[in-house]
């Protein structure tokens, strides 16, 4: 199957609010092959810039758009395509937006590989891949602690065994932060996992104050408490926190993940729409497992990202995936697939 063309589809809601919800503005990649197949992927970045990286025509050496690099290549030669893209974008890559855009391409290539083989992608990744993976509900914190209860009880009634709340209003005030977590725990009960996403709000000192208080409520993990590249802070926090520390969704290159994993991080959260799709996520997972760190995909996007992330984690020793419950129709209605949510999975 030769690659015929690559499309970048930028979809945006009529009104985009300044909240931490990336599903208001998304970039989907479609890869068409000469035998009529179509593979789907998703880029998690600035959609406008990512689209330009894909659609830019050939230029001077090492600065081409992805759609100009890969046509005519064998869609099954994923490693060869990765090398061609790395070389073709070297003037503005390999990290940042170049890797983000490539992520959507790689995701679509794995989709095509699964179609050609007639098996789900998880079977290509591991012969022991499971057909059912735990999925945690992922949403932003309600505006006030008194609004958390109704939200959490709805997730319990739906069957979720894990729920993650994140970002504002959490951050500036310790007492408010504790109130939010306490309200979530009370409504979820003691038998549900509660993840807390801090949205990169604190220093290591402030994060430790929260971790000590959140431990009282049995937090499953404390996610992104620090700025993405504060590796000294992560090392300090991971060694002393009574709550497991998670992070890594904003990191791109494997060399950057090496530095993050060296901090003793407990959960690493690559976003398949940023790290380099399934190809680079597989490489990262091998390193993470060797360091005793559990990979869990960050998947706050559309159903395209959800599907790819579920396939990837299904091949892992301890599968678990993020399941975006954002209200955006791009998150909820864009993709139609055969996955079913049942009993927390």
């Amino acid at each position: 199957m030769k690659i015929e063309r690559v499309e970048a589809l930028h979809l945006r809601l009529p009104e985009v609010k300044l909240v931490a919800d990336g599903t208001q503005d998304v970039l989907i990649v479609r890869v068409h092959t000469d035998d009529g197949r179509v593979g789907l992927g998703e880029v998690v970045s600035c959609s406008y810039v990512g689209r330009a990286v894909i659609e830019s025509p050939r230029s001077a050496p090492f600065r081409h758009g992805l759609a100009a690099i890969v046509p005519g290549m064998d869609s099954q030669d994923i490693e060869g395509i990765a090398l061609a893209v790395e070389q073709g974008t070297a003037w503005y890559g390999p990290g940042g937006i170049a890797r983000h855009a490539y992520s959507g391409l790689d995701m679509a290539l794995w989709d095509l590989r699964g179609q050609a083989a007639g098996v789900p992608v998880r079977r290509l990744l591991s012969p022991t891949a499971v057909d059912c993976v735990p999925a945690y509900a992922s949403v932003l914190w309600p505006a006030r602690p008194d609004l958390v209860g109704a939200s959490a009880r709805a997730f319990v009634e739906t069957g979720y065994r894990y729920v993650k709340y994140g970002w504002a209003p959490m951050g500036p005030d310790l007492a408010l932060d504790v109130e939010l977590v306490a309200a979530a725990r009370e409504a979820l009960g003691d038998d549900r996992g509660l993840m807390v996403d801090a949205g990169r709000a604190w220093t290591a000192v402030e994060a430790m104050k929260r971790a000590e208080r959140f431990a009282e409520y049995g937090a499953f993990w404390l996610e992104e408490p620090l700025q993405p590249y504060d590796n000294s802070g992560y090392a300090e926090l991971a060694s002393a926190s009574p709550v497991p520390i998670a992070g890594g969704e904003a990191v791109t290159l494997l060399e950057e993940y090496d530095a993050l994993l060296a901090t003793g991080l407990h959960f690493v959260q690559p976003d398949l729409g940023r790290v380099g799709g399934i190809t680079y996520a597989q490489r990262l997972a091998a390193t993470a497992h060797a360091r005793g760190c559990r990979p869990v995909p960050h998947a706050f996007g559309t159903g395209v990202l959800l599907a790819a992330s579920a396939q990837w984690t299904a091949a892992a020793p301890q599968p678990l995936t993020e399941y975006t419950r954002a209200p955006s129709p791009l998150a909820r209605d864009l993709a139609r697939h055969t996955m079913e949510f049942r009993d927390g999975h």
Side-chain angles (χ1 to χ4, degrees):
M1 297 188 299
K2 301 293 185 182
I3 296 175
E4 195 170 71
R5 61 190 175 97
V6 178
E7 282 185 285
L9 306 177
H10 181 200
L11 307 173
R12 179 183 168 99
L13 298 185
E15 179 186 5
V16 174
K17 300 177 181 178
L18 289 177
V19 296
D21 180 1
T23 67
Q24 304 176 95
D25 173 25
V26 303
L27 185 64
I28 303 299
V29 176
R30 285 199 298 209
V31 177
H32 299 258
T33 61
D34 58 1
D35 63 349
R37 298 183 194 272
V38 180
L40 289 174
E42 182 167 351
V43 176
V44 180
S45 187
C46 175
S47 297
Y48 292 90
V49 182
R51 180 178 179 182
V53 168
I54 293 170
E55 295 181 341
S56 294
R58 281 197 172 273
S59 182
F62 320 121
R63 64 196 81 189
H64 313 307
L66 305 192
I69 296 171
V70 300
M73 296 189 72
D74 182 356
S75 64
Q76 302 297 291
D77 184 15
I78 291 179
E79 295 293 337
I81 290 170
L83 179 60
V85 169
E86 187 169 324
Q87 293 173 341
T89 62
W91 196 246
Y92 60 94
I97 191 66
R99 183 58 55 86
H100 303 166
Y102 165 77
S103 301
L105 172 65
D106 180 82
M107 211 181 294
L109 293 174
W110 276 96
D111 183 3
L112 289 167
R113 179 180 277 190
Q115 291 180 42
V119 298
V121 167
R122 62 186 181 276
R123 297 279 178 250
L124 301 177
L125 299 174
S126 171
T128 60
V130 297
D131 296 324
C132 184
V133 299
Y136 69 84
S138 181
V139 291
L140 302 179
W141 284 110
R144 304 188 310 272
D146 61 294
L147 301 176
V148 174
S151 167
R153 284 189 292 272
F155 287 128
V156 171
E157 292 167 3
T158 306
Y160 285 96
R161 299 181 183 181
Y162 301 89
V163 178
K164 184 177 80 179
Y165 286 102
W167 292 76
M170 176 164 279
D173 182 74
L174 173 60
L176 174 61
D177 296 345
V178 174
E179 277 190 71
L180 289 166
V181 174
R185 172 52 69 204
E186 181 181 5
L188 290 174
D190 295 332
D191 59 343
R192 296 295 197 281
L194 170 61
M195 292 89 154
V196 180
D197 185 347
R200 309 162 206 159
W202 307 307
T203 63
V205 172
E206 289 298 316
M208 183 60 71
K209 293 178 183 177
R210 269 73 173 184
E212 290 170 347
R213 297 299 306 276
F214 295 169
E216 302 171 24
Y217 302 97
F220 189 82
W221 72 44
L222 176 57
E223 176 177 333
E224 296 276 316
L226 312 177
Q227 290 300 308
Y229 297 97
D230 184 4
N231 291 327
S232 61
Y234 268 112
E236 179 183 341
L237 194 58
S239 65
S241 171
V243 175
I245 302 301
E249 69 184 60
V251 179
T252 302
L253 294 177
L254 296 184
E255 296 86 346
E256 297 167 340
Y257 276 107
D258 287 341
L260 182 60
L261 291 171
T263 67
L265 193 74
H266 304 102
F267 294 89
V268 65
Q269 300 171 297
D271 193 309
L272 269 61
R274 295 176 63 82
V275 71
I278 290 174
T279 297
Y280 282 87
Q282 281 293 87
R283 299 178 189 177
L284 170 60
T287 304
H289 288 309
R291 288 187 173 271
C293 181
R294 181 178 174 184
V296 178
H298 176 265
F300 206 90
T302 76
V304 175
L305 182 64
L306 171 65
S309 301
Q311 293 288 337
W312 180 64
T313 197
Q318 294 178 283
L320 175 64
T321 195
E322 182 169 26
Y323 191 5
T324 310
R325 298 289 77 203
S328 164
L330 294 176
R332 292 179 177 261
D333 303 327
L334 178 65
R336 293 177 181 157
H337 46 66
T338 58
M339 291 189 295
E340 292 180 296
F341 177 80
R342 186 169 61 249
D343 193 27
H345 295 72

